[in-house]
Amino acid sequence: MPTAEPVERLLAELSPREKVGQLNQRLYGWQAVERAPRGGFRLTDLARAELDRWGGLGALYGVFRADAWSGRTWADGIRPEERAEVAALVQDEVARAGDHRIGVLLSEEAPHGHQALGGTLLPTNLAVAAGWDPDLLAEAATAVAAELAASGVHLALVSALDLLRDPRWGRAEECFGEDPLLAAELTRALVIGMQGADRGAVGRGGVAIVLKHLAAQGEAVGGRNGQSAVIGPRDLRELHLPAARAAVEAGALGFMAAYNDIDGVPCCANRDLLTGFLRDECGFDGIVMADGLAVDRLTAMTGDPAESAVAALEAGVDLSLWDESFALLEEAALADPRVAELVDAACRRVLTLKHRTGLLADNPAMVTAHDDFPALRHGSPARHDDSPAVGGGRERLSLAARTADGLSRRLARQSLVLLHNAGDLLPLEPRSLAKVVLAGPNARDVTALLGDYVPPLPPGSAGGLDLALRQALPDAELVCPQGVPTAADLSGADLVILALGGTSHRTYAEEFAANGAIAGQAATATAGEGVDLAGLALPGDQDDLVADVRARAGCPVVAVVVAGRPHVLTGVLAHTDALLWAGYPGPHGGHAIADALLGGYEPVGRLPFTAPAHPGVVPVRHNDRHPAADVYRDAPDPVLFPFGHGLRYRPVLFDRLTAEAGADTVRVSVEVANPGGAAAEVVVPLFGRRTGGRVLPRLRELLAFRRVTVPAGARTAVVWDLPAARCFAEGAAGRARTDLYVADLHETIRPAVHSPGPADPLPHSEES
């Protein structure tokens, strides 16, 4: 049956109150379900009151969420094997609460894996971006989505749209770096992975994605979370909207409007953004969710909660998150036919998504977690015993988790970036290491590898770098002091490894704001939501530690930086023989780092951001319009490592860069030669500088990239067929030129016949 028919019929039957109920997501899910005295689970009184109020629920956030904010642990949280049972209970109770038997959308945080007990964790986005591999990310997203779907989840809230435009921002780790093309292609991969091609996996082993945050949150003044983005419309379109456009092209079913304002207009009340750009221009037909309590925050602008709700609704918000304001829409709709029409439009979009995910009573095609609990199927929506998708939910969950975990391991290895390697010190020769000293704040810390938005790990499920090195060097003495290594620790050492950086770990003793961000001084976290920093030096006295060890050690010193944001590493570079950047590589990060140091795997990642040489030069980005070099008299060289920087152990050669411009496309080709005796993975970025248009050119832009494997002793041609609009400046005419760069190769192209026209914010090539 076409989607419109059951949705329109249902929309005509719902009362104004029931319609508004479909637009609300007011409950914290972990407060909606509790363990029953005689076993199993039941709804809490709080949840029943919400059901009684609306005759149903639009969405329910975070039923399975476990972390310091929710307070859920392995002692009292919902375990993996219990998820499907809880989901089935919730769906049955919600369907029974109203006359129309509509299920509830279960939404869960999954920024880099499911934030639930036993949820598989991936490296954070910033670490994933260092691998420059959309295909592998799509595989991992598919496995995570299968894990969510097997748990009864419908909506995955996934960070992807923010750009790392200022490293002082605590949420830098959630970004795919600073470049719009890299972020757009990784976002596209996430959507296709979680939802399937043409959304085909949604409801059939995949989930609908809600991408956050729209838009320009990473541009906030001073890196201060949620504050104003003071940018013009051109930078908004060229930098911050390409990932959203790519997501729509890939079929994304949901977006989350951000907290920040753009030139004074809050994103949740920005009709030009949520309706003009997203729906009218891009053709988006899914739902827009507000960020947590963001609609209530509009009262600072409107002066009235009801007006705040109407402002968000008019802008294009369909579903709130924890807000009280949206609950006032019933009265507003009864008083104003225009508001009633807006409520109908938003409700139609929510019901359409529910139809797709199998939550309407007359759509028996879809399958959710109820199928594993026949006793709970009675009266619930969207059940069909003959569906081929019905099977053992726990078996599906276990298989998905194992698959996702293996892909997390691969992503962790890809995330490593070799920044410095004096005298080819790395890879290390294990047989030459009789005594190794491992020091620094992240030497033993498992949680520092994980990033923000993570659940507590099962005991013994992951190890730190110390454990990984002990296993990799069974015949060596590994000294791992708690603080600064003593003279005795360093005596006779063949190598010192300093595990530096920060952590986004939240303790259960932390105080949290109403939206879950850390409130006040963080206990241990030096990054993450609510942990913006004015200074970018390594936390604590780590620079002093590095200098002290360098002065006293009579052996090589290697630094490993585990961090969720760019730090100033000028001192570390000066006082070490090798430097490896590891991001937050996830639960397999310790073994990935040890493998890379000892040559089990060659780190070939590239930085997805510009690493500053001095804290006072930020923000500085590779695609700025003006150079920052020789501007500050006290910091003439502002960049320590450029965007895309990354060394490797074995050389590869780039040659024969050619480019041919046609009327509509530009074909660019470069050859990659591998003289070594083993296959080599290579990240190949294509940069360009476009001049001759109507606006000041950017210093450098990423035009395409590819990750390839070159066989031993072989050459591989990398070919891109790119839209001309991507390769030439806006308004480019005969005077225009574009300088192309791959490594140290350079080629110049000019438009073939005529101007390609206005630049597309995100032209896409299958080969890029």
Side-chain angles (χ1 to χ4, degrees), residues 438 443-444 460 462-473 478 590-591 594:
L438 174 64
R444 304 168 181 264
L465 181 55
D466 61 330
L467 178 62
L469 286 172
R470 290 187 193 281
Q471 293 175 349
L473 298 170
L478 184 67
H591 288 283

Side-chain angles (χ1 to χ4, degrees), residues 74 116-121 446-447 450 454-463 508 586-588:
W74 283 93
L117 295 177
T120 301
L121 295 178
V446 177
T447 59
L450 307 180
V454 296
L457 295 179
S461 63
Y508 278 76
H588 299 293

Side-chain angles (χ1 to χ4, degrees), residues 163-547:
L163 287 185
L164 201 175
R165 303 293 291 172
D166 193 319
R168 292 170 292 184
W169 188 37
R171 304 186 75 169
E173 69 192 75
E174 299 180 43
C175 305
F176 284 130
E178 72 181 41
D179 186 84
L181 179 66
L182 179 59
E185 293 306 317
L186 291 170
T187 299
R188 190 189 305 273
L190 271 177
V191 175
I192 294 172
M194 285 201 155
Q195 296 188 168
D198 300 320
R199 305 169 171 175
V202 178
R204 296 180 174 88
V207 294
I209 197 167
V210 177
L211 291 159
K212 54 184 189 177
H213 307 86
L214 190 66
Q217 189 167 233
E219 197 77 51
V221 172
R224 301 192 288 272
N225 188 48
Q227 296 194 16
S228 301
V230 184
I231 53 174
R234 183 178 300 278
D235 274 3
L236 176 64
R237 281 186 167 272
E238 291 183 359
L239 299 174
H240 297 282
L241 297 184
R245 187 183 292 274
V248 175
E249 292 173 355
L253 286 165
F255 285 89
M256 176 179 283
Y259 285 126
N260 62 285
D261 65 274
I262 301 173
D263 196 24
V265 182
C267 291
C268 280
N270 194 329
R271 183 171 176 80
D272 288 341
L273 175 67
L274 303 182
T275 298
F277 168 75
L278 193 59
R279 297 196 185 280
D280 297 342
E281 183 177 328
C282 295
F284 176 64
D285 61 355
I287 66 163
V288 173
M289 182 188 299
D291 207 340
L293 300 171
V295 178
D296 286 352
R297 293 186 182 190
L298 295 179
T299 304
M301 177 182 74
T302 66
D304 178 74
E307 287 298 320
S308 297
V310 173
L313 193 66
E314 287 178 329
V317 172
D318 303 306
L319 189 64
S320 74
L321 181 58
W322 315 321
D323 293 288
E324 296 294 333
S325 302
F326 244 48
L328 305 176
L329 283 173
E330 179 189 1
E331 183 177 342
L334 291 172
D336 187 343
R338 180 183 58 88
V339 176
E341 291 179 3
L342 292 171
V343 167
D344 280 358
C347 189
R348 180 180 291 109
R349 289 190 283 262
V350 171
L351 292 176
T352 298
L353 182 56
K354 288 192 173 187
H355 183 274
R356 180 179 292 277
T357 52
L359 293 173
L360 302 189
D362 54 1
N363 180 5
M366 306 297 184
V367 178
T368 70
H370 288 63
D371 297 300
D372 301 303
F373 298 90
L376 295 174
R377 283 208 302 264
H378 177 70
S380 64
R383 301 280 65 78
H384 196 278
D385 290 337
D386 296 328
S387 169
V390 174
R394 292 177 183 173
E395 289 75 12
R396 293 197 303 271
L397 177 61
S398 178
L399 174 61
R402 289 197 304 273
T403 303
D405 190 63
L407 292 165
S408 178
R409 187 186 302 271
R410 290 174 59 190
L411 285 170
R413 296 173 70 177
Q414 282 196 358
S415 73
L416 307 178
V417 183
L418 182 62
L419 298 177
H420 170 57
N421 192 22
D424 294 329
L425 172 64
L426 301 179
L428 302 166
E429 172 51 61
R431 288 173 297 184
S432 68
L433 301 174
K435 180 179 179 180
V436 175
V437 177
L438 174 64
N442 289 335
R444 304 168 181 264
D445 193 350
V446 177
T447 59
L449 301 171
L450 307 180
D452 203 355
Y453 279 84
V454 296
L457 295 179
S461 63
L465 181 55
D466 61 330
L467 178 62
L469 286 172
R470 290 187 193 281
Q471 293 175 349
L473 298 170
D475 299 324
E477 177 188 2
L478 184 67
V479 179
C480 192
Q482 289 287 352
V484 178
T486 65
D489 294 331
L490 295 172
S491 177
D494 300 301
L495 180 75
V496 176
I497 300 174
L498 297 177
L500 309 171
T503 179
S504 293
H505 178 57
R506 300 161 172 240
T507 71
Y508 278 76
E510 213 90 54
E511 291 186 8
F512 297 96
N515 68 343
I518 290 178
Q521 190 68 31
T524 62
T526 59
E529 186 174 8
V531 191
D532 305 329
L533 296 179
L536 291 176
L538 287 170
D541 299 320
Q542 293 182 55
D543 283 311
D544 293 339
L545 168 67
V546 176

